[in-house]
Amino acid sequence: MFDVDGTLYRQGSLRRAMALRLALAHVFRPLLGLSTLRILSAYRRGQEALRETHHEGDLGAAQTQYASRATGASPEVVQATVTRWMEHAPLDLLGRCAQPGMQACLRELRTSGLKLGVLSDYPAESKLAALGVGELFDAVLCAQAPEVGVFKPNPRGILVSLERLGVAPSDALYVGDRAEVDAAAARAAGVACAIISQQARQNHEDFLTVSSYAELSRVLARHKEKSNELRGVPAQ
């Protein structure tokens, strides 16, 4: 199972490209541009705030209300701003921000017979299509889905994903980019975790750090080979 933002694509690169796009769109309306930035920033802060609380109910509505209270904008304006600038506007930029080797790794895993799933903080179908990998996944789920309703590190999303995939926690791997969120959620769900990061390696008993999808592919290939040896399966 894979996280999306920051895991399947380089989030920093996308945000820089979107900052330029937003600035150009508001050259002649700087006050509107400033208001848009404030709303988007408050919406992201709401996500992090909701990670720390036990929220029951409509998670998307709660995040919208957080941004509305923080900025004074109506919930309708917040939602329209988020829909335009966070959901629709970035789609044509995602392909160029894809993590190197990501598509090849996913296709290789799919070809090997593994089930693939996505658990993202936000609805992910349009992003996966823009990245060219939408058809590779057996299950796509987000934190805002009614049956989840909580952000990671709460493990509920991972557990619901496992149910949809028909896979036991001991047979699953969750791949993310934030140890404090993704690895913590995986640990709580009893699932192994790999964190993709260009930063210095973190030696930790709860997760593996890899620098790229090429390295992830090599690690999984070695794991499969060792599993086959233990079961007496001849090498191919």
Side-chain angles (χ1 to χ4, degrees):
M1 293 180 291
F2 291 81
D3 172 52
V4 175
D5 304 305
T7 300
L8 299 185
Y9 68 89
R10 294 164 290 172
Q11 195 168 36
S13 298
L14 180 68
R15 285 184 175 176
R16 287 190 291 273
M18 281 303 302
L20 177 59
R21 176 170 288 185
L22 196 151
L24 292 174
H26 295 91
V27 168
F28 301 109
R29 296 180 295 174
L31 292 181
L32 178 60
L34 180 60
S35 175
T36 299
L37 283 173
R38 292 180 63 243
I39 289 171
L40 296 177
S41 177
Y43 191 77
R44 293 191 181 103
R45 291 198 307 273
Q47 176 190 19
E48 298 306 317
L50 287 167
R51 288 193 198 281
E52 307 300 326
T53 62
H54 181 74
H55 175 79
E56 296 290 344
D58 190 329
L59 189 61
Q63 193 172 353
T64 297
Q65 288 290 342
Y66 181 100
S68 177
R69 291 192 299 269
T71 62
S74 69
E76 293 75 17
V77 168
V78 171
Q79 188 56 60
T81 301
V82 168
T83 298
R84 177 182 179 184
W85 290 105
M86 292 184 68
E87 296 179 10
H88 295 163
L91 292 179
D92 65 322
L93 299 171
L94 278 175
R96 72 185 73 169
C97 296
Q99 291 280 12
M102 178 270 294
Q103 293 99 331
C105 176
L106 293 181
R107 291 191 175 93
E108 180 182 336
L109 295 176
R110 181 73 178 189
T111 301
S112 72
L114 291 178
K115 292 183 178 181
L116 301 182
V118 158
L119 172 64
S120 177
D121 286 331
Y122 300 118
E125 286 84 357
S126 59
K127 292 179 181 178
L128 298 176
L131 287 165
V133 295
E135 77 283 1
L136 300 178
F137 292 97
D138 301 285
V140 177
L141 190 64
C142 76
Q144 296 181 4
E147 60 268 48
V148 181
V150 287
F151 286 121
K152 298 169 291 184
N154 189 296
R156 186 185 302 169
I158 292 180
L159 295 174
V160 174
S161 294
L162 291 174
E163 290 179 3
R164 290 190 175 186
L165 291 167
V167 174
S170 58
D171 294 326
L173 174 72
Y174 189 67
V175 181
D177 68 308
R178 297 177 60 182
E180 73 279 9
V181 173
D182 297 315
R187 180 175 62 250
V191 170
C193 181
I195 296 296
I196 295 182
S197 175
Q198 294 292 328
Q199 299 177 359
R201 292 300 181 92
Q202 304 178 58
N203 294 318
H204 200 286
E205 62 181 10
D206 289 335
F207 60 89
L208 171 71
T209 302
V210 294
S211 61
S212 65
Y213 275 89
E215 184 178 1
L216 178 64
S217 293
R218 291 192 296 270
V219 168
L220 293 178
R222 289 197 300 268
H223 177 74
K224 180 179 180 180
E225 183 178 338
K226 290 180 180 179
S227 296
N228 287 340
E229 289 176 357
L230 290 174
R231 291 184 291 139
V233 177
Q236 297 182 356

